Amino acid sequence: QVRQLVREKRQSGAFREEIRNAVLELLKEWGIEPPEKPDDPGALNKKYPTEKTVEAVNYPNPFNPTTRISYQVREPGNVSVEIFNIQGQMIRTLQDRYHESGEFSAHWDGLDDNGQAVASGTFIYRIHTPAGSVSKQMTLMK
């Protein structure tokens, strides 16, 4: 049941923290109370990932023709979502505006800033927030 829950959450574009909370709730329903934090500091990083400054995921990946990039903003401020080709050239700016803290998403339709369709391949999306940045790969398959 845990594996199925994790799979469903990942497919819906849930963030790592959301998946972790859902699993903890399921365990509580079964009467299992996991410790808040393990005693072993080395285990902390293995079992309980530290809170990242920026969390992001795109779904579906690989995709055709569109993908949704979901991300969390922890501190209000200007947020940019940019798409780069594998050579590092920026090909599209999806968002560059002020965000309050919370969860947001941007859709990419496989077009560059000029409205031209890009070729199939691997692309990198970068999300820059006041709390930090994250870059991840995604694959467009035509």
Side-chain angles (χ1 to χ4, degrees):
Q1 283 182 331
V2 171
R3 285 185 182 151
Q4 182 179 352
L5 175 66
V6 170
R7 189 177 310 117
E8 289 170 0
K9 290 289 186 181
R10 283 184 181 156
Q11 289 176 345
S12 70
F15 293 105
R16 194 175 281 168
E17 186 67 22
E18 293 171 302
I19 295 170
R20 181 178 179 276
N21 289 338
V23 169
L24 290 176
E25 286 300 316
L26 184 61
L27 293 175
K28 287 178 184 176
E29 288 176 18
W30 293 339
I32 300 170
E33 285 289 331
E36 287 298 314
K37 289 187 179 180
D39 296 331
D40 176 17
L44 180 61
N45 293 330
K46 294 175 192 165
K47 295 182 182 178
Y48 297 88
T50 57
E51 189 171 302
K52 293 182 179 179
T53 56
V54 180
E55 188 77 34
V57 65
N58 79 295
Y59 181 80
N61 189 21
F63 66 97
N64 179 15
T66 65
T67 188
R68 180 182 73 168
I69 302 169
S70 301
Y71 55 97
Q72 286 183 328
V73 176
R74 301 203 191 282
E75 298 176 19
N78 195 58
V79 175
S80 62
V81 180
E82 300 163 323
I83 309 294
F84 296 85
N85 63 20
I86 201 68
Q87 288 83 26
Q89 300 163 319
M90 186 169 60
I91 59 169
R92 180 92 183 259
T93 300
L94 298 178
Q95 293 186 7
D96 189 11
R97 63 183 177 88
Y98 181 85
H99 282 55
E100 293 292 336
S101 53
E103 296 180 14
F104 301 90
S105 66
H107 289 79
W108 186 43
D109 53 8
L111 302 178
D112 63 16
D113 275 336
N114 298 321
Q116 301 295 313
V118 299
S120 297
T122 300
F123 295 87
I124 298 163
Y125 63 92
R126 181 178 69 187
I127 301 171
H128 181 73
T129 73
S133 296
V134 65
S135 297
K136 294 193 176 183
Q137 289 186 0
M138 60 186 167
T139 304
L140 171 60
M141 296 180 68
K142 293 186 178 181

